[in-house]
Amino acid sequence: MPESLGDSGGSPITMNLNIIVLAKQVPDTRCVSQGTMNADGTINRAALPVIINPDDMKALEQALRLKEAHPGSTIRVLTMGPSRAADVVRESLFRGADGGYLLSDAAFAGADTLATSYVLATAIGKMGKCDIVLCGRQAIDGETAQVGSQVAERLGMPQITYVEKILSVNDGQITVKRRIDDGVEVVEAPLPLVVTVDGSAAPCRPRNAKWLMSYKHADIEMWSATDIDADLAQCGLAGSPTRVKAVESVVLKAKEARVMGSSDEEIEELMKSLL
Ligand SMILES: Cc1cc2nc3c(=O)[nH]c(=O)nc-3n(C[C@H](O)[C@H](O)[C@H](O)COP(=O)(O)OP(=O)(O)OC[C@H]3O[C@@H](n4cnc5c(N)ncnc54)[C@H](O)[C@@H]3O)c2cc1C
């Protein structure tokens, strides 16, 4: 079995794959500070820079490696969000994706994971033949890790979660390496399927200068609820059974760190308190 796509050696068995990558624009949570929080404990999204969710970039890299191993394959990126989320598709084009769509509509606002997965799965259904849906394991803002699995359920496709590396795709079968608590496991599944990519996967390649110049002003096609024939009762707030009861701001009062010297007495005292 080949160790991995994208590694050297081995002539690939060519199979044109229709790959869809789900990618979300998220606030860069590394920049969260007192000033970026609202009084009610929610994040002031407008005060934070946005990035593509890190796991989704890793999903894109796995898609790009698949495309290299199977020339003639196509990668399309799907994102749901406000109009500025079109940059998610553009950033993907800069790295080698073939196209993508922005799902944006007032009817999608206020979506919980159930409504988000409904809109994404409905759009995937409209995109025609699809062999592999790749998404991140978890978004750094919502952090539920539910959307990928829910999309698989809605599409009636098998799913493999926590994937670190796609090893091969041959004869309608995919072989992947999964990261689990105690190590890794190698799993096979039939296509079509949904794969959620773990944070331990390889980082995404940088932008390609030529594609950056070609696509920096690319118009990204936007789909509304009407465009994907969505049932409005299952979109946005209307389709979201989750209700946030309360948001609590946790303030750490005690430090878990202590400054100490290196004298024998101080070390002995530390040993005693640890014991
Ligand atoms: C009651 C309620 C109201 C909410 N209202 C809003 C709101 O108004 N605005 C808002 O921004 N959020 C809102 N949220 C948060 C929103 O539900 C989640 O951000 C969203 O459902 C995705 O869940 P997650 O972030 O936990 O993603 P995860 O399940 O952690 O994501 C897993 C993977 O799914 C894919 N994915 C997830 N979301 C998207 C997306 N939008 N586009 C493409 N791929 C995606 C990515 O590949 C991602 O890595 C609300 C949540 C609740 C409970």
Side-chain angles (χ1 to χ4, degrees):
M1 183 187 299
E3 168 38 24
S4 162
L5 296 169
D7 289 352
S8 60
S11 46
I13 299 170
T14 302
M15 176 183 176
N16 290 354
L17 298 167
N18 292 295
I19 305 164
I20 295 175
V21 177
L22 304 181
K24 182 185 185 189
Q25 193 177 58
V26 292
D28 190 344
T29 49
R30 289 167 303 187
C31 304
V32 172
S33 64
Q34 208 75 39
T36 53
M37 300 301 290
N38 295 319
D40 63 0
T42 57
I43 291 178
N44 177 5
R45 287 172 182 259
L48 285 171
V50 285
I51 54 171
I52 300 180
N53 182 52
D55 283 1
D56 305 356
M57 292 297 283
K58 293 178 176 183
L60 176 63
E61 176 60 27
Q62 292 300 311
L64 293 167
R65 290 180 184 203
L66 266 181
K67 187 180 162 183
E68 282 164 355
H70 297 273
S73 298
T74 55
I75 301 173
R76 287 170 298 165
V77 175
L78 199 53
T79 187
M80 183 179 95
S83 56
R84 68 178 178 176
D87 281 342
V88 169
V89 181
R90 263 183 225 106
E91 284 291 338
S92 307
L93 293 172
F94 300 159
R95 290 166 171 85
D98 298 281
Y101 304 94
L102 165 69
L103 293 158
S104 202
D105 192 311
F108 300 154
D112 66 4
T113 61
L114 201 67
T116 301
S117 63
Y118 169 73
V119 172
L120 292 172
T122 306
I124 291 169
K126 185 186 155 76
M127 287 166 77
K129 188 174 180 298
C130 163
D131 299 300
I132 304 176
V133 178
L134 280 159
C135 63
R137 181 183 73 87
Q138 181 166 318
I140 57 169
D141 56 349
E143 282 198 319
T144 64
Q146 292 173 356
V147 171
S149 297
Q150 289 176 345
V151 166
E153 281 294 312
R154 288 189 180 279
L155 294 172
M157 288 184 185
Q159 57 181 292
I160 312 181
T161 53
Y162 297 91
V163 171
E164 187 168 278
K165 230 173 198 178
I166 296 178
L167 301 176
S168 64
V169 176
N170 289 319
D171 294 332
Q173 285 277 125
I174 188 168
T175 308
V176 304
K177 188 162 95 179
R178 290 181 82 218
R179 175 63 49 184
I180 52 174
D181 277 350
D182 300 331
V184 292
E185 66 182 15
V186 174
V187 188
E188 279 185 356
L191 304 183
L193 89 167
V194 175
V195 167
T196 78
V197 176
D198 191 61
S200 60
C204 192
R205 64 197 64 190
R207 300 159 163 181
N208 171 298
K210 198 177 85 192
W211 291 330
L212 174 63
M213 296 312 289
S214 306
Y215 299 122
K216 66 179 173 180
H217 300 302
D219 285 329
I220 305 304
E221 193 172 336
M222 196 174 94
W223 280 349
S224 65
T226 313
D227 292 324
I228 59 170
D229 299 320
D231 169 15
L232 292 182
Q234 296 190 63
C235 296
L237 207 52
S240 298
T242 318
R243 293 287 171 267
V244 179
K245 249 178 112 179
V247 180
E248 200 176 323
S249 198
V250 178
V251 181
L252 297 176
K253 288 189 181 136
K255 273 193 177 171
E256 295 272 332
R258 203 171 110 190
V259 179
M260 57 172 291
S262 57
S263 70
D264 287 350
E265 296 75 42
E266 282 167 304
I267 291 172
E268 201 179 319
E269 197 205 316
L270 172 70
M271 293 302 286
K272 276 187 196 150
S273 59
L274 284 175
L275 285 169

